[in-house]
């Protein structure tokens, strides 16, 4: 006997829209915007092309929705991570948030790291990085002000920091090892320890500065000392002043000589002294923080002892009150028992007295023998 299958439930407009978004998200992650077509989206959803156009107006519309969702999701995770109180915790949680998004939303991250199509209407992955960097910038400003660095440099450092984390996330998207907690720890190790020993006035070494100067001002070649054809023609035509005709070209300013090995060594020694001084300052700062921490621990322990003493004193007073109450109850019970015994004896005497009277009356009523 043939059984009639139940008709398939028709999706609501909201459910159909969500289905198309999820299908498009997967296809965009696998093939990109240009590699995905409306026909493929409709076929995967088992609907006709007009349904896609009805909900989104075309491939560009659904792509914009997908991009906007992913950007808001990632930005929300990072924003929440940056709400921590300590700067180091903010950095750790922000790195973990990005790596968690990469691990748990691989399709979305693959879409974001591609160059977003102009149809997205929400910018590119670079614009997302800028949004995150603008939030990190506030953290960097506070750190720079606290350490005496120029806070105007905070936007540049924020871009460096966020870019480093984002590129690491792109690399980790494919390799997936080591685990994300370990990757985050190494990221924070590089960023935080680098920030801790940050040089407020960084400069290139003397050797590199000499190279930079030589690159910017290359030495003259012999051919360059000869007059150019145009200058020779100008002299022949009399356009140049007579005093200059046939005279040697004016001497070019001499380039400063490159630094000597001795100067380089002295600069390197000065740099090393500066680094040692910074390390000493950092160690002194760490010691001060450790002293502060120990003092806070001692104060906390002292407060805990005081609270324990107060609790024990209150407990003793409560025990004494309970003991007094118990003794009072026992006294009342003894008094009640005495009163009950007294009443019982009185009742017994009355009963004996009454019995005696009855016996006397009976003796009077009996006839004499």
């Amino acid at each position: 006997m043939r059984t009639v299958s139940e008709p398939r439930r028709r999706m609501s407009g909201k459910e159909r829209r969500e289905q198309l978004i999820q299908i498009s998200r997967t296809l965009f992650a696998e093939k990109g915007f240009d590699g995905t077509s409306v026909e493929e989206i409709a076929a995967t959803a088992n609907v006709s092309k007009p349904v896609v156009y009805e909900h989104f107006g075309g491939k560009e519309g659904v792509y914009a929705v997908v991009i906007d969702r992913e950007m808001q999701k990632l930005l929300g995770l990072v924003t929440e991570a940056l709400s921590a109180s300590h700067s180091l915790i903010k950095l750790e949680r922000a790195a973990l948030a990005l790596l968690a998004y990469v691990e748990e939303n691989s399709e979305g991250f693959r879409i974001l790291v591609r160059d977003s199509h102009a149809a997205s209407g929400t910018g590119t992955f670079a614009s997302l990085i800028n949004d995150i960097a603008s939030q990190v910038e506030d953290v960097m400003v506070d750190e720079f002000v606290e350490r005496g660095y120029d806070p105007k440099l905070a936007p540049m450092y924020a871009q460096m920091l966020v870019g480093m984390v984002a590129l690491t996330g792109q690399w980790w998207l494919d390799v997936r090892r080591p685990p994300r907690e370990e990757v985050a720890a190494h990221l924070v190790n590089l960023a935080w320890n680098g920030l801790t020993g940050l040089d407020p006035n960084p400069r290139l070494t003397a050797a590199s500065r000499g190279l930079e100067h030589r690159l910017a001002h290359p030495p003259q070649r012999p051919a360059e000392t000869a007059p150019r054809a145009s200058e020779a023609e100008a002299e022949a035509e009399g356009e140049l002043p007579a005093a200059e005709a046939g005279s040697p070209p004016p001497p070019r300013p001499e380039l400063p000589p490159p630094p000597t090995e001795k100067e380089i060594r002295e600069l390197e020694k000065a740099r090393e002294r500066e680094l040692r001084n910074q390390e000493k300052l950092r160690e002194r700062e760490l010691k001060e923080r450790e002293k502060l921490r120990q003092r806070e621990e001692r104060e906390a322990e002292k407060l805990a002892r005081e609270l324990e003493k107060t609790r024990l004193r209150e407990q003793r007073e409560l025990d004494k009150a309970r003991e007094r109450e118990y003794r009072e109850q026992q006294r009342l019970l003894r008094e009640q028992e005495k009163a009950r015994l007294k009443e019982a004896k009185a009742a017994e005497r009355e009963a004996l007295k009454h019995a005696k009277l009855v016996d006397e009356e009976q003796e009077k009523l009996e006839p004499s023998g």
Side-chain angles (χ1 to χ4, degrees), residues 67-224:
I67 287 289
D68 184 67
R69 279 192 178 187
E70 297 304 322
M71 292 183 71
Q72 292 303 322
K73 185 185 299 181
L74 177 54
L75 190 58
L77 289 172
V78 176
T79 301
E80 182 181 359
L82 293 175
S83 63
S85 57
H86 194 277
S87 298
L88 176 59
I89 305 300
K90 289 180 181 180
L91 185 58
E92 289 178 340
R93 292 184 179 178
L96 278 174
L98 176 62
L99 294 174
Y101 174 81
V102 172
E103 186 172 28
E104 298 167 8
N105 300 272
S106 299
E107 291 183 346
F109 191 72
R110 289 185 188 279
I111 296 172
L112 288 179
V113 296
R114 290 192 175 100
D115 289 335
S116 298
H117 194 270
S120 67
T122 54
T124 63
F125 185 60
S127 66
L128 176 63
I129 294 301
N130 285 331
D131 291 340
I132 297 175
S134 65
Q135 299 188 48
V136 176
E137 179 182 332
D138 297 334
V139 180
M140 302 294 289
V141 168
D142 295 339
E143 285 293 320
F144 276 35
V145 171
E146 181 180 351
R147 298 174 184 275
Y149 306 145
D150 186 359
K152 294 179 181 179
L153 298 174
M156 178 178 67
Y157 277 87
Q159 291 286 343
M160 295 175 183
L161 184 60
V162 174
M164 177 182 70
V165 177
L167 287 176
T168 303
Q170 288 183 255
W171 164 80
W172 190 71
L173 174 65
D174 296 320
V175 297
R176 296 299 178 92
R177 62 179 186 271
R180 73 186 185 199
E181 290 81 5
E182 187 175 345
V183 176
H186 283 285
L187 270 172
V188 174
N189 180 39
L190 174 60
W192 183 256
N193 291 327
L195 290 174
T196 303
L198 200 65
D199 185 350
N201 297 301
R203 297 182 64 190
L204 297 176
T205 62
S208 296
R209 288 200 301 273
L211 175 62
E212 178 67 18
H213 188 85
R214 289 193 294 273
L215 291 175
H217 304 282
Q220 292 183 0
R221 293 191 299 269
E224 293 181 352

